[in-house]
Amino acid sequence: MTAQLDHQAEQDRIASVYRGWHGGAALARYAWHRPDIVYQHAMRTRVLSRMLASTVGTDLGKIRTVDVGCGTGGFLRQLIDWGATPANLAGTELQEDRLDLARPRSAPGIHWHCGALSTLPTASADLVSAHTVISSVIDPEVRQQLAADMWRVLKPGGWCLVFDFRYNNPRNPHVRKVMRKELDAYWPGHRQQYQTLLLAPPVARALAALPALVTESLAALAPPLRSHFMYMVQKER
């Protein structure tokens, strides 16, 4: 019972943090039209497309996907643009207001679920993804449970996909970095892919007015300045 209460307290904390953040002034730094955000989106898309093609394959039409902490559904819409079938996609969220935004923006047929991942069926997905979700979970036990739930929902032979932070943000105590050794401990898969990407946001914002070649070259030549990673691991058949 104590563990359940601790898990609920962590979920309540996360929901409270995001309710206070979404719609606030801080969102202006992530506006879709900002040059640094445009660059970040392009880089994420390139890495994501390459990783997906080399793991789940280039035909996404039959891939069953669960996106954990799906927000307003951006990742699922990207998959649809690349050929995924809406009826094969599901998004989970702790905040109903995020799903209220996701539904009208997305194709009909996507399954939306407000609540914990633990209620979803075992071995029901070919791909389970989490984008800047694990870093939002501070409690180590709750992180472990989230990872276990993702692995449980994944079919044998399926892939987990994680996009998240490599470093702590000293200005944001509500998130904690995700280390490679954590990921390997969570999921004992036999195939992994890991790539760092994106200039740290303060650096990217400072260089936003310069030609894109400058930021791309710096990101390529100075790996320690890359603040995020993308990771995929396959569950053994």
Side-chain angles (χ1 to χ4, degrees):
M1 179 62 72
T2 300
Q4 291 179 352
L5 292 175
D6 289 344
H7 285 202
Q8 187 59 52
E10 178 67 357
Q11 289 185 8
D12 292 344
R13 182 198 65 80
I14 294 169
S16 176
V17 168
Y18 276 84
R19 278 196 300 270
W21 188 77
H22 286 297
L27 277 181
R29 290 183 299 176
Y30 302 95
W32 63 270
H33 55 83
R34 289 177 57 100
D36 54 316
I37 300 303
V38 172
Y39 164 74
Q40 289 180 14
H41 177 73
M43 176 57 70
R44 281 181 66 178
T45 300
R46 287 202 295 270
V47 174
L48 175 63
S49 63
R50 184 166 58 248
M51 278 198 175
L52 286 179
S54 65
T55 55
V56 299
T58 56
D59 183 2
L60 301 181
K62 295 182 180 179
I63 300 298
R64 305 191 72 86
T65 300
V66 174
D67 188 29
V68 181
C70 64
T72 59
F75 175 64
L76 297 179
R77 289 193 292 276
Q78 178 69 81
L79 293 183
I80 292 172
D81 285 345
W82 289 345
T85 303
N88 289 338
L89 307 180
T92 73
E93 247 301 330
L94 293 179
Q95 300 180 82
E96 186 65 45
D97 64 323
R98 306 301 289 161
L99 296 183
D100 289 340
L101 294 173
R103 291 184 184 98
R105 297 177 181 180
S106 308
I110 297 176
H111 305 280
W112 305 106
H113 173 73
C114 186
L117 184 62
S118 58
T119 61
L120 295 189
T122 298
S124 57
D126 304 295
L127 176 67
V128 179
S129 59
H131 300 258
T132 58
V133 171
I134 296 177
S135 58
S136 298
V137 180
I138 303 298
D139 187 296
E141 292 187 6
V142 180
R143 273 194 180 193
Q144 178 68 56
Q145 185 59 56
L146 172 61
D149 283 334
M150 291 175 66
W151 204 242
R152 179 188 60 80
V153 170
L154 193 64
K155 294 178 181 179
W159 290 83
C160 268
L161 164 66
V162 176
F163 169 77
D164 225 314
F165 300 109
R166 298 176 63 206
Y167 302 124
N168 285 327
N169 182 346
R171 296 183 178 180
N172 186 355
H174 303 298
V175 297
R176 183 169 65 83
K177 66 182 178 181
V178 182
M179 296 181 288
R180 173 70 186 272
K181 64 180 182 180
E182 286 182 79
L183 301 169
D184 291 340
Y186 291 152
W187 301 307
H190 68 297
R191 291 176 59 195
Q192 300 93 12
Q193 293 192 25
Y194 182 92
Q195 181 172 338
T196 59
L197 66 157
L198 304 185
L199 285 177
V203 177
R205 285 193 287 269
L207 301 178
L210 299 178
L213 181 60
V214 175
T215 54
E216 291 197 11
S217 298
L218 185 58
L221 297 173
L225 292 181
R226 301 173 194 160
S227 57
H228 292 67
F229 68 86
M230 197 167 290
Y231 172 87
M232 292 191 73
V233 57
Q234 186 179 31
K235 188 175 185 178
E236 293 189 24
R237 298 182 184 277

